[in-house]
Amino acid sequence: MSLVRTENLGKSFGDLEVLRDINLTVEPGEVIVIIGASGAGKSTFLRSLNTLETITSGKIYIDDELFCAAENGQVIEMMDKQKHKALLLEMGMVFQRFNLFPHLTVKENVMVAPINVKKVDKAAAEAKALDLLERVGLADKADVYPSRLSGGQQQRVAIARALAMEPKLMLFDEPTSALDPELVGEVLNVMKDLASQGMTMICVTHEMGFAREVADRVVFMADGIIMEEGTPEELFSNPKTEKAKQFLQSVL
């Protein structure tokens, strides 16, 4: 059973076609890394999966069930509302910007969604938050406010916050692009740890070393389409399209 499958997925903003006929299947436990130049449609694809963007055409399946379908700019089929909401809660997303609540401590930031959305008991949410902060190496920062943290630390809190909802799937949208170079490694290490523990992940990133080391499959996007995909070895050593060759020459 696939965890995520898209069929002919398209997204337009007015006359601008950002995604065209995206067909991608993600198996449970698989790490997919999406690469490509800015403007290729990578982030729009991620945002379409968790409905931050409404697709213009095509279908999205989650757990082999139709999540939503669109045609000619109109949603024509949608999963039952309650089930749709439940599946959305199983997708964690980490953005370029950390978006932490500045008036809440690190621990409170991690606790807030389980308490308010899942109605988890406060004591249980606190225990879970402390466990997750330990996992991302920030147990000693539980009672600190975000403004006192480095960018890398804030991004690790954002990852812990997403994990607090116990997602089946983690979406990472260029999670290190807003960080100073010396802070990138600490976030990638947390992501590597998640991958090693079997978390299903779709990552948009410019970190080619991470893609080479962690991905099961690398997907190269350009001009709103998937131009090619394969194992890191296949794609980095022997890209088949001229665009992929040029892109990899520019970043490697």
Side-chain angles (χ1 to χ4, degrees):
M1 185 195 291
S2 61
L3 184 56
V4 178
R5 187 169 88 252
T6 66
E7 290 183 0
N8 306 114
L9 189 147
K11 173 64 182 174
S12 297
F13 295 98
D15 293 333
L16 179 63
E17 201 174 22
V18 180
L19 296 175
R20 291 181 290 145
D21 288 329
I22 302 289
N23 294 290
L24 186 69
T25 300
V26 183
E27 306 296 338
E30 199 172 18
V31 178
I32 305 292
V33 174
I34 304 177
I35 63 171
S38 295
K42 309 182 301 295
S43 294
T44 301
F45 175 65
L46 278 197
R47 292 170 65 85
S48 297
L49 291 180
N50 72 352
T51 68
L52 287 173
E53 300 289 357
T54 304
I55 60 174
T56 308
S57 58
K59 296 176 180 177
I60 300 173
Y61 292 86
I62 307 289
D63 284 339
D64 280 343
E65 289 190 66
L66 184 63
F67 188 59
C68 65
E71 218 173 78
N72 300 321
Q74 299 292 323
V75 174
I76 57 170
E77 205 170 336
M78 182 76 82
M79 183 179 274
D80 161 76
K81 243 182 185 176
Q82 284 299 105
K83 196 162 191 184
H84 190 270
K85 183 182 175 185
L87 284 179
L88 276 180
L89 293 178
E90 292 181 344
M91 287 188 216
M93 187 154 182
V94 178
F95 300 88
Q96 296 176 34
R97 296 286 166 189
F98 327 118
N99 302 323
L100 300 177
F101 294 112
H103 63 291
L104 300 180
T105 64
V106 162
K107 178 177 67 180
E108 289 165 345
N109 265 280
V110 179
M111 292 168 60
V112 67
I115 289 172
N116 291 314
V117 179
K118 293 182 96 175
K119 309 303 179 190
V120 172
D121 167 77
K122 187 177 178 183
E126 182 173 17
K128 178 82 173 174
L130 292 172
D131 180 54
L132 287 169
L133 290 171
E134 177 81 41
R135 189 170 167 185
V136 299
L138 291 171
D140 60 330
K141 304 292 185 186
D143 297 316
V144 170
Y145 288 90
S147 62
R148 306 302 300 263
L149 301 180
S150 70
Q153 289 170 329
Q154 289 189 57
Q155 193 61 295
R156 285 188 279 153
V157 175
I159 293 172
R161 180 181 59 184
L163 291 173
M165 294 297 283
E166 300 182 333
K168 281 186 182 177
L169 169 68
M170 285 289 286
L171 307 174
F172 290 92
D173 186 9
E174 299 192 23
T176 60
S177 66
L179 300 180
D180 292 331
E182 67 271 19
L183 303 176
V184 167
E186 64 190 63
V187 173
L188 293 180
N189 285 338
V190 171
M191 292 168 66
K192 288 174 189 174
D193 184 52
L194 283 180
S196 72
Q197 293 175 32
M199 174 62 76
T200 311
M201 295 161 58
I202 307 176
C203 311
V204 169
T205 185
H206 291 293
E207 300 295 332
M208 297 301 137
F210 173 81
R212 195 187 286 273
E213 184 181 344
V214 179
D216 295 301
R217 263 187 301 148
V218 179
V219 173
F220 172 69
M221 286 183 67
D223 304 324
I225 64 173
I226 292 176
M227 288 226 158
E228 57 182 293
E229 60 179 282
T231 65
E233 177 64 26
E234 288 167 347
L235 205 131
F236 287 120
S237 302
N238 189 28
K240 295 177 178 61
T241 62
E242 195 55 41
K243 284 212 169 177
K245 287 175 188 171
Q246 290 173 357
F247 173 76
L248 290 169
Q249 280 171 1
S250 73
V251 296
L252 292 177

